[in-house]
Amino acid sequence: MVSNQDSNYSLNDRTQHLLKVLVESYISDGRPLGSRTLAKLSELDVSPATVRNVMADLEEFGFVESPHTSAGRVPTTKGYRLFVDTMLNVQPLTTDVVSQLVENLNPKQSVNGLVESASGLLSDLTSMAGVVTIPKHERAEFRQIEFLPLSDQRVLAILVMNRQEVQNRILHTDREYSESELLQAANYLNELCAGQDLVVARQRILDELDHVREHMNDLMRSAVEMGEKLFSESDAEKSDYVVVGQTNLMEYDELSDIEKLKGLFEAFGQKREFLSLLDSCIFAQGIQIFIGQESGYKVLDGCSVITSPYTVDKETLGVLAVVGPTRMSYERVIPIVDLTAKLLGEALNNQI
Amino acid sequence: MVSNQDSNYSLNDRTQHLLKVLVESYISDGRPLGSRTLAKLSELDVSPATVRNVMADLEEFGFVESPHTSAGRVPTTKGYRLFVDTMLNVQPLTTDVVSQLVENLNPKQSVNGLVESASGLLSDLTSMAGVVTIPKHERAEFRQIEFLPLSDQRVLAILVMNRQEVQNRILHTDREYSESELLQAANYLNELCAGQDLVVARQRILDELDHVREHMNDLMRSAVEMGEKLFSESDAEKSDYVVVGQTNLMEYDELSDIEKLKGLFEAFGQKREFLSLLDSCIFAQGIQIFIGQESGYKVLDGCSVITSPYTVDKETLGVLAVVGPTRMSYERVIPIVDLTAKLLGEALNNQI
DNA sequence: TTTAGCACTCCATGCAAGAGAGTGCCAAAA
DNA sequence: TTTTGGCACTCTCTTGCATGGAGTGCTAAA
């Protein structure tokens, strides 16, 4: 009776309810729902025939489909989307899940340790694959540089960045340098650049190179080159992530096609496609959900991805995600992803 | 006529030849061999019936078996073993394989880069999974230590080990230290320990602690702790490896059982079982081959592992391996593993 | 608008039959 | 004594067919 037929295909309450029940049942069972079962399950006191009519409508609108004529209905991507957008009642986390997260994401760990833990927790708690990108360091601040002579015209350069980050690299020089020469060069660079942003520091060194045409030029040029290499390396590092629990995905019937699995695993391994997906989430405000091929990647057909950026001081440092079959318990996974992101951010706050 | 029936089951030449042909054919085709096909393939000018008799003997001795009554014969683990031990004619590497290896294992790369490259090359060239353990550094020599003050009673310690290895760690101290205090402590430690083995250095610091009961005690205790942590960390690091090309294993029919694959992948991921296998090869002189469950690990059922240690200056630094189906081309893989190990050793020689 | 009834479709299962591949054994040939 | 041809037998794999179950769409009645 009461229906809100305002928009193009706005569904009345009963239709929505039936869709909701269908999606929930399919998520927990994995079997297509027939009209008879759905009628019972919905507790709506309607006959299977009525349900059939409703299903016909839903199918017409593209929210459900049937694998074949006599196999009941299954949600489509569009169906999942509507469910996720409008019908989700997210379940509160149980206390043991919360405490497990809190305990394992304690700030005493190293940055890498935290990333590993977060990824492992996502994987364990959801029985799917957990992904966490390595936090990028937005402001790369030159702090101190040291040079150590090695044999064979090589110099070990150690650059301390930000508050505690240390990068080191071997410089091949044109001749041997004495320790005092290296000390002199380091002192000079440190004085020149301490506290500067790495980009600024680099520019300064380059400017200075023109003025100071003395015996340490070689080394300084190398030092600048090191800065550049560090830059490119930290860029590469920033664009990396940790995956835990890929093998969990083998448990799901809908992914048991070996070809699909292979494609998925290779996507994880090659990191390219998957990274661009994660990168695109880095500016999102909170949880984002990609259902099936919504993400635009063919390998993710049949999979959904739930992502959340994690932030320190309101600055986004990375993204974490859970990857699993489309038929996943969104209501359970979403709060896990959410809390993990928050806790990871907090833990990193004490670290960076 | 001419048969050497000396040992318990010494096989005459024809029998051996038939086994060899069978194994080779099965390796390249993957299909059980019947007497008719084998008779032709062997080029022995014998009838299928004769071959059948021979096969019955081989089956009795346990070198071959049949999946079922009318399915031809397949080599057993014991059959592969005999083949590998006595009938292998290892194929010389083609020049493009050699050049690919030489080019990609050039000593300009970092240690980690080399390990990654080696693993990737093994995987690519064999279409199986390549594994390389991170080289352990036998002699850990204290070279230089630096302290940098951070905020909140934390100090960044940078320890340079061996020729170019840098480790850093945050020390939580009981109070704030000034830069000059830290410099003093560093100088002190450097003078005390420079060039020493890390174990010796640690003992020295501990000894010295008793004598020098002054204001820098805290820091020095922390420094010693750092040394210990570095030790345990480098131990952990040593016992790690890089796997590339796991997904290649999905291509092989005999491993397409999803349960087996999952077990295998999890073994790769958890690293425990697999490491003890690799560790056991570290003292072997050259190539070692484990067929099926010979290695003692159930997950490796249906798989063979070909390993070789790699050495620098006659000192073994690690192990590399190829993991694939039992039905792999040993003749092709062995020289690849062999050369990769040699080249990796050489490349590391210039690095460490 | 909802419901009951009915014809229809499709899948999964089980069964039977036949083809194909290969074996083991026996008796004859070399 | 060894090799060979022949033959019965076994096992798997495929195909075809019948059956039952599940579910749908449609129509007509409530």
Side-chain angles (χ1 to χ4, degrees), chain A residues 279-338:
Chain A
D279 272 349
S280 71
C281 305
I282 210 163
F283 296 119
Q285 272 312 309
I287 296 273
Q288 262 196 303
I289 300 174
F290 299 90
I291 298 162
Q293 295 197 27
E294 280 182 354
S295 53
Y297 296 100
K298 205 171 179 185
V299 283
L300 288 177
D301 182 33
C303 294
S304 285
V305 184
I306 300 186
T307 75
S308 169
Y310 60 86
T311 63
V312 170
D313 289 342
K314 289 179 187 164
E315 186 179 18
T316 299
L317 294 194
V319 179
L320 48 76
V322 165
V323 182
T326 326
R327 178 179 94 67
M328 70 166 73
S329 171
Y330 299 90
E331 306 180 332
R332 222 181 69 80
V333 175
I334 287 173
I336 291 174
V337 172
D338 193 43

Coordinates of all heavy atoms in Angstrom, one line a residue, chain A residues 279-338:
Chain A
D279 N 46.1 3.5 -3.8 CA 46.5 4.9 -3.9 C 45.3 5.8 -4.1 O 45.2 6.9 -3.5 CB 47.5 5.2 -5.0 CG 48.9 4.9 -4.6 OD1 49.1 4.8 -3.4 OD2 49.8 4.9 -5.5
S280 N 44.3 5.3 -4.8 CA 43.2 6.1 -5.1 C 42.3 6.3 -3.8 O 41.4 7.2 -3.8 CB 42.3 5.5 -6.2 OG 41.7 4.3 -5.7
C281 N 42.6 5.5 -2.8 CA 41.8 5.6 -1.6 C 42.5 6.5 -0.6 O 41.9 6.8 0.5 CB 41.6 4.3 -0.9 SG 41.0 3.0 -2.0
I282 N 43.6 7.0 -0.9 CA 44.4 7.7 0.1 C 43.8 9.0 0.5 O 44.0 9.5 1.6 CB 45.9 7.8 -0.3 CG1 46.8 7.8 0.9 CG2 46.1 9.0 -1.2 CD1 48.2 7.5 0.5
F283 N 43.0 9.5 -0.4 CA 42.4 10.8 -0.1 C 41.0 10.7 0.4 O 40.3 11.7 0.6 CB 42.6 11.8 -1.3 CG 44.0 12.1 -1.6 CD1 44.5 11.8 -2.8 CD2 44.8 12.7 -0.6 CE1 45.9 12.1 -3.1 CE2 46.1 13.0 -0.9 CZ 46.6 12.7 -2.1
A284 N 40.5 9.5 0.4 CA 39.1 9.3 0.9 C 39.1 9.6 2.4 O 40.1 9.5 3.1 CB 38.7 7.9 0.6
Q285 N 37.9 10.0 2.8 CA 37.8 10.4 4.2 C 37.8 9.2 5.2 O 38.4 9.2 6.2 CB 36.5 11.2 4.5 CG 36.8 12.7 4.3 CD 38.0 13.2 5.0 OE1 38.2 13.0 6.1 NE2 38.9 13.9 4.2
G286 N 37.1 8.1 4.8 CA 37.1 7.0 5.7 C 37.0 5.7 4.9 O 37.6 5.5 3.9
I287 N 36.2 4.8 5.4 CA 36.0 3.5 4.8 C 35.5 3.6 3.3 O 34.6 4.5 3.1 CB 35.0 2.7 5.6 CG1 35.5 2.3 7.0 CG2 34.6 1.4 4.8 CD1 36.3 1.1 7.1
Q288 N 36.1 2.9 2.4 CA 35.6 2.8 1.1 C 35.4 1.4 0.7 O 36.2 0.5 1.1 CB 36.6 3.5 0.1 CG 36.2 4.9 -0.3 CD 37.0 5.3 -1.5 OE1 38.2 5.3 -1.5 NE2 36.2 5.7 -2.5
I289 N 34.4 1.1 -0.1 CA 34.1 -0.3 -0.4 C 34.0 -0.4 -1.9 O 33.3 0.3 -2.6 CB 32.8 -0.8 0.2 CG1 32.9 -0.6 1.7 CG2 32.5 -2.2 -0.2 CD1 31.6 -0.9 2.5
F290 N 34.8 -1.4 -2.5 CA 34.7 -1.7 -3.9 C 34.1 -3.1 -4.0 O 34.7 -4.0 -3.5 CB 36.1 -1.6 -4.5 CG 36.8 -0.3 -4.4 CD1 37.6 0.0 -3.3 CD2 36.6 0.6 -5.4 CE1 38.2 1.2 -3.2 CE2 37.2 1.9 -5.3 CZ 38.0 2.2 -4.2
I291 N 33.1 -3.2 -4.7 CA 32.4 -4.5 -4.9 C 32.7 -5.0 -6.3 O 32.4 -4.3 -7.3 CB 30.9 -4.3 -4.7 CG1 30.7 -3.9 -3.2 CG2 30.2 -5.7 -4.9 CD1 29.3 -3.3 -3.0
G292 N 33.2 -6.2 -6.4 CA 33.5 -6.8 -7.7 C 34.3 -6.0 -8.5 O 35.4 -5.4 -8.1
Q293 N 33.9 -5.8 -9.8 CA 34.8 -5.1 -10.7 C 34.5 -3.6 -10.6 O 35.0 -2.8 -11.5 CB 34.5 -5.6 -12.1 CG 34.9 -7.0 -12.3 CD 35.1 -7.4 -13.8 OE1 35.4 -6.5 -14.6 NE2 34.9 -8.6 -14.1
E294 N 33.8 -3.1 -9.6 CA 33.6 -1.6 -9.5 C 35.0 -0.9 -9.5 O 35.1 0.2 -10.0 CB 33.0 -1.3 -8.2 CG 31.5 -1.5 -8.2 CD 30.9 -1.1 -6.8 OE1 31.6 -0.8 -5.9 OE2 29.6 -1.1 -6.7
S295 N 36.0 -1.6 -9.0 CA 37.3 -0.9 -8.9 C 37.9 -0.8 -10.3 O 38.9 0.0 -10.4 CB 38.2 -1.8 -8.0 OG 38.2 -3.1 -8.5
G296 N 37.4 -1.5 -11.2 CA 37.9 -1.3 -12.6 C 39.0 -2.4 -12.9 O 39.5 -2.3 -14.0
Y297 N 39.3 -3.2 -12.0 CA 40.3 -4.2 -12.2 C 39.7 -5.6 -12.4 O 38.9 -6.1 -11.6 CB 41.3 -4.3 -11.1 CG 42.1 -3.0 -11.0 CD1 41.7 -2.0 -10.0 CD2 43.1 -2.7 -11.9 CE1 42.4 -0.8 -10.0 CE2 43.8 -1.5 -11.8 CZ 43.4 -0.5 -10.9 OH 44.0 0.6 -10.8
K298 N 40.0 -6.2 -13.5 CA 39.4 -7.4 -13.9 C 39.7 -8.6 -12.9 O 38.8 -9.4 -12.6 CB 39.8 -7.9 -15.3 CG 38.8 -8.7 -16.0 CD 39.1 -8.9 -17.5 CE 38.1 -9.9 -18.1 NZ 38.5 -10.2 -19.5
V299 N 40.9 -8.6 -12.4 CA 41.3 -9.6 -11.5 C 40.4 -9.6 -10.2 O 40.3 -10.6 -9.5 CB 42.8 -9.5 -11.0 CG1 43.7 -10.1 -12.1 CG2 43.1 -8.2 -10.6
L300 N 39.8 -8.5 -9.9 CA 39.0 -8.4 -8.7 C 37.6 -8.8 -8.9 O 36.8 -8.5 -8.1 CB 39.1 -6.9 -8.1 CG 40.5 -6.6 -7.5 CD1 40.5 -5.2 -7.0 CD2 40.8 -7.5 -6.4
D301 N 37.3 -9.4 -10.1 CA 36.0 -9.9 -10.3 C 35.7 -11.0 -9.2 O 36.5 -11.8 -9.0 CB 35.9 -10.5 -11.7 CG 34.6 -11.1 -12.0 OD1 33.6 -10.5 -11.5 OD2 34.5 -12.1 -12.7
G302 N 34.6 -10.8 -8.6 CA 34.2 -11.8 -7.6 C 34.8 -11.5 -6.2 O 34.5 -12.1 -5.2
C303 N 35.6 -10.4 -6.2 CA 36.1 -9.9 -4.9 C 35.6 -8.6 -4.5 O 35.3 -7.8 -5.4 CB 37.7 -9.9 -5.0 SG 38.4 -11.5 -5.2
S304 N 35.6 -8.3 -3.2 CA 35.3 -7.0 -2.7 C 36.5 -6.5 -1.9 O 37.3 -7.3 -1.4 CB 34.1 -6.9 -1.9 OG 32.9 -7.0 -2.7
V305 N 36.7 -5.2 -1.9 CA 37.8 -4.6 -1.2 C 37.3 -3.6 -0.3 O 36.5 -2.7 -0.7 CB 38.9 -4.0 -2.2 CG1 40.1 -3.5 -1.4 CG2 39.3 -5.0 -3.2
I306 N 37.6 -3.7 1.0 CA 37.2 -2.6 2.0 C 38.5 -1.9 2.4 O 39.4 -2.5 2.9 CB 36.5 -3.3 3.2 CG1 35.3 -4.0 2.7 CG2 36.2 -2.2 4.2 CD1 34.4 -4.5 3.8
T307 N 38.5 -0.6 2.2 CA 39.8 0.1 2.5 C 39.5 1.2 3.4 O 38.4 1.7 3.6 CB 40.4 0.8 1.2 OG1 39.6 1.9 0.8 CG2 40.5 -0.2 0.1
S308 N 40.5 1.6 4.1 CA 40.5 2.8 5.0 C 41.9 3.4 5.0 O 42.9 2.7 5.2 CB 40.0 2.5 6.4 OG 40.2 3.6 7.2
P309 N 42.0 4.7 4.9 CA 43.3 5.4 5.1 C 43.6 5.4 6.6 O 42.7 5.3 7.4 CB 43.1 6.8 4.5 CG 41.6 7.0 4.6 CD 40.9 5.7 4.5
Y310 N 44.8 5.5 6.9 CA 45.2 5.7 8.3 C 46.0 7.0 8.4 O 46.8 7.3 7.5 CB 45.9 4.5 8.9 CG 47.2 4.1 8.3 CD1 48.4 4.7 8.7 CD2 47.2 3.1 7.3 CE1 49.6 4.3 8.1 CE2 48.4 2.7 6.7 CZ 49.6 3.3 7.1 OH 50.7 2.9 6.5
T311 N 45.8 7.7 9.5 CA 46.3 9.0 9.6 C 47.1 9.3 10.9 O 46.7 8.7 11.9 CB 45.2 10.1 9.5 OG1 44.3 9.9 10.6 CG2 44.4 9.9 8.2
V312 N 48.0 10.1 10.8 CA 48.7 10.6 12.0 C 48.6 12.2 12.0 O 49.0 12.7 11.0 CB 50.2 10.2 12.1 CG1 50.9 10.9 13.2 CG2 50.3 8.7 12.2
D313 N 48.1 12.8 13.0 CA 48.0 14.2 13.0 C 47.2 14.7 11.8 O 47.6 15.7 11.1 CB 49.3 14.9 13.0 CG 50.0 14.7 14.4 OD1 49.3 14.4 15.3 OD2 51.2 14.9 14.4
K314 N 46.1 14.1 11.5 CA 45.2 14.4 10.4 C 45.9 14.3 9.0 O 45.4 14.8 8.0 CB 44.7 15.8 10.6 CG 43.7 15.9 11.7 CD 43.1 17.3 11.9 CE 42.2 17.3 13.1 NZ 42.0 18.7 13.6
E315 N 47.1 13.7 9.0 CA 47.8 13.6 7.8 C 47.7 12.1 7.4 O 48.1 11.2 8.2 CB 49.2 14.1 7.9 CG 50.0 14.1 6.6 CD 51.4 14.6 6.8 OE1 51.8 14.6 8.0 OE2 52.0 14.9 5.9
T316 N 47.3 11.8 6.2 CA 47.1 10.4 5.8 C 48.5 9.9 5.4 O 49.2 10.4 4.5 CB 46.2 10.3 4.5 OG1 44.9 10.8 4.9 CG2 46.1 8.9 4.1
L317 N 48.9 8.8 6.0 CA 50.2 8.2 5.8 C 50.1 6.9 4.9 O 51.1 6.5 4.4 CB 50.9 7.8 7.1 CG 51.3 9.0 8.0 CD1 52.2 8.5 9.0 CD2 51.9 10.1 7.2
G318 N 48.9 6.3 4.8 CA 48.8 5.1 4.1 C 47.4 4.6 4.0 O 46.5 5.3 4.5
V319 N 47.2 3.4 3.5 CA 45.9 2.8 3.3 C 46.0 1.4 3.8 O 47.0 0.7 3.6 CB 45.5 2.8 1.9 CG1 44.1 2.2 1.7 CG2 45.5 4.2 1.3
L320 N 45.0 0.9 4.5 CA 44.9 -0.5 4.7 C 43.6 -1.1 4.1 O 42.7 -0.3 3.8 CB 45.0 -0.9 6.2 CG 44.3 -0.1 7.2 CD1 42.8 -0.6 7.3 CD2 44.9 -0.3 8.6
A321 N 43.6 -2.3 3.9 CA 42.5 -2.9 3.2 C 42.3 -4.4 3.5 O 43.2 -5.1 4.0 CB 42.7 -2.8 1.7
V322 N 41.1 -4.9 3.3 CA 40.8 -6.3 3.4 C 40.3 -6.7 2.0 O 39.4 -6.0 1.5 CB 39.8 -6.6 4.5 CG1 39.2 -8.0 4.3 CG2 40.4 -6.5 5.8
V323 N 40.8 -7.8 1.5 CA 40.3 -8.3 0.2 C 39.7 -9.7 0.4 O 40.3 -10.5 1.1 CB 41.5 -8.4 -0.8 CG1 41.0 -8.9 -2.1 CG2 42.2 -7.1 -0.9
G324 N 38.5 -9.8 -0.1 CA 37.8 -11.1 0.1 C 36.8 -11.3 -1.0 O 36.6 -10.5 -1.8
P325 N 36.0 -12.4 -0.9 CA 35.0 -12.6 -1.9 C 33.9 -11.6 -1.8 O 33.6 -11.1 -0.7 CB 34.5 -14.0 -1.5 CG 34.8 -14.2 -0.1 CD 36.1 -13.4 0.1
T326 N 33.2 -11.3 -2.9 CA 32.1 -10.4 -2.8 C 31.1 -10.7 -1.8 O 30.6 -9.9 -1.1 CB 31.4 -10.4 -4.2 OG1 32.3 -10.7 -5.2 CG2 30.7 -9.1 -4.5
R327 N 31.0 -12.0 -1.6 CA 30.0 -12.5 -0.6 C 30.7 -12.5 0.8 O 30.9 -13.6 1.4 CB 29.7 -14.0 -1.0 CG 28.8 -14.8 -0.2 CD 28.6 -16.1 -0.8 NE 29.6 -17.1 -0.3 CZ 29.5 -17.5 0.9 NH1 28.7 -17.1 1.8 NH2 30.4 -18.4 1.3
M328 N 31.1 -11.4 1.2 CA 31.7 -11.3 2.6 C 30.8 -10.6 3.5 O 29.8 -9.9 3.2 CB 33.0 -10.5 2.5 CG 32.9 -9.0 2.3 SD 34.4 -8.1 2.6 CE 35.4 -8.5 1.2
S329 N 31.1 -10.8 4.8 CA 30.2 -10.2 5.8 C 30.6 -8.7 6.0 O 31.5 -8.4 6.9 CB 30.3 -10.9 7.1 OG 29.6 -10.2 8.1
Y330 N 30.1 -7.8 5.2 CA 30.5 -6.4 5.3 C 30.2 -5.9 6.7 O 31.0 -5.1 7.2 CB 29.7 -5.6 4.2 CG 29.9 -6.0 2.8 CD1 29.2 -7.0 2.2 CD2 31.0 -5.5 2.1 CE1 29.4 -7.4 0.9 CE2 31.2 -5.9 0.8 CZ 30.5 -6.9 0.2 OH 30.7 -7.3 -1.1
E331 N 29.1 -6.3 7.3 CA 28.8 -5.8 8.6 C 29.8 -6.1 9.7 O 30.0 -5.4 10.6 CB 27.4 -6.3 9.0 CG 26.4 -6.1 7.9 CD 25.0 -6.6 8.3 OE1 24.9 -7.6 9.1 OE2 24.0 -6.1 7.8
R332 N 30.5 -7.2 9.4 CA 31.5 -7.6 10.4 C 32.9 -7.0 10.1 O 33.7 -6.6 11.0 CB 31.6 -9.1 10.4 CG 31.8 -9.7 11.8 CD 31.9 -11.2 11.7 NE 33.2 -11.6 11.1 CZ 34.3 -11.6 11.8 NH1 34.3 -11.3 13.1 NH2 35.4 -12.0 11.2
V333 N 33.2 -6.9 8.8 CA 34.5 -6.5 8.4 C 34.7 -5.0 8.5 O 35.8 -4.6 8.9 CB 34.8 -7.0 6.9 CG1 36.1 -6.5 6.4 CG2 34.7 -8.5 6.8
I334 N 33.7 -4.3 8.2 CA 33.9 -2.8 8.2 C 34.4 -2.3 9.5 O 35.4 -1.5 9.5 CB 32.5 -2.1 7.8 CG1 32.3 -2.3 6.3 CG2 32.5 -0.6 8.1 CD1 31.0 -1.9 5.8
P335 N 33.8 -2.6 10.6 CA 34.3 -2.1 11.9 C 35.7 -2.5 12.2 O 36.5 -1.8 12.8 CB 33.3 -2.6 12.9 CG 32.6 -3.7 12.3 CD 32.5 -3.4 10.9
I336 N 36.0 -3.7 11.7 CA 37.4 -4.2 12.0 C 38.4 -3.3 11.2 O 39.4 -2.9 11.8 CB 37.5 -5.7 11.6 CG1 36.7 -6.6 12.5 CG2 39.0 -6.1 11.5 CD1 36.7 -8.0 12.1
V337 N 38.1 -3.1 10.0 CA 39.0 -2.2 9.2 C 39.1 -0.8 9.8 O 40.2 -0.3 9.9 CB 38.5 -2.1 7.7 CG1 39.3 -1.1 6.9 CG2 38.6 -3.5 7.0
D338 N 37.9 -0.4 10.2 CA 37.9 1.0 10.8 C 38.7 1.1 12.0 O 39.6 2.0 12.1 CB 36.4 1.3 11.1 CG 36.2 2.7 11.4 OD1 36.7 3.6 10.7 OD2 35.5 3.1 12.4

